[in-house]
Amino acid sequence: KALQWHSYEVQNLEKNSDVTLLASSPTTKYQIFKYNNAYGIQFHIEIKNTTVEEWGCVPEYKSALENQLGPGALEKFDQEAKKNMASMNKYSQILYNNFKKLVI
């Protein structure tokens, strides 16, 4: 599980031999990928208990979320994020530690 607020994503990297797929999800094929020496992450790893509520205060963010997921999306999204927060934070720590090993 990961927090993915937006509907934008990098796509069609299959033919590029310099791209390595590192993680995917049912909705986004290239959640984490490596391109030569650069890494791309297409989800929000920086989640805390107030993240969804704080981002939802921005009218454009709330509107974009509801356009994508329907009325009441902010509240549902907040509940889902809080339900999965411990797991997401656990895996974000693993991701961070593994990345740190590569760059130090």
Side-chain angles (χ1 to χ4, degrees):
K1 298 278 183 181
L3 181 71
Q4 184 165 323
W5 189 284
H6 50 80
S7 60
Y8 301 108
E9 64 179 289
V10 174
Q11 297 179 335
N12 303 319
L13 299 177
E14 295 82 10
K15 295 178 184 175
N16 190 327
S17 62
D18 294 325
V19 174
T20 303
L21 174 63
L22 300 174
S24 62
S25 74
T27 59
T28 304
K29 181 172 183 176
Y30 290 93
Q31 284 287 13
I32 305 175
F33 59 94
K34 180 180 178 190
Y35 175 70
N36 295 324
N37 293 320
Y39 291 83
I41 298 176
Q42 298 197 103
F43 58 92
H44 295 279
I45 197 168
E46 71 283 9
I47 185 169
K48 58 185 181 177
N49 204 33
T50 58
T51 299
V52 174
E53 181 183 336
E54 289 169 359
W55 291 354
C57 288
V58 178
E60 293 82 4
Y61 291 179
K62 182 178 180 182
S63 175
L65 187 66
E66 291 188 344
N67 285 340
Q68 186 176 354
L69 302 176
L74 184 65
E75 292 77 18
K76 292 175 194 171
F77 202 63
D78 188 38
Q79 290 172 2
E80 190 70 17
K82 287 177 179 171
K83 181 175 94 176
N84 292 291
M85 188 170 313
S87 174
M88 289 189 287
N89 285 333
K90 173 185 161 190
Y91 289 112
S92 68
Q93 188 65 47
I94 293 168
L95 178 64
Y96 172 76
N97 289 336
N98 288 339
F99 183 73
K100 193 166 68 170
K101 289 176 192 175
L102 292 173
V103 297
I104 293 181

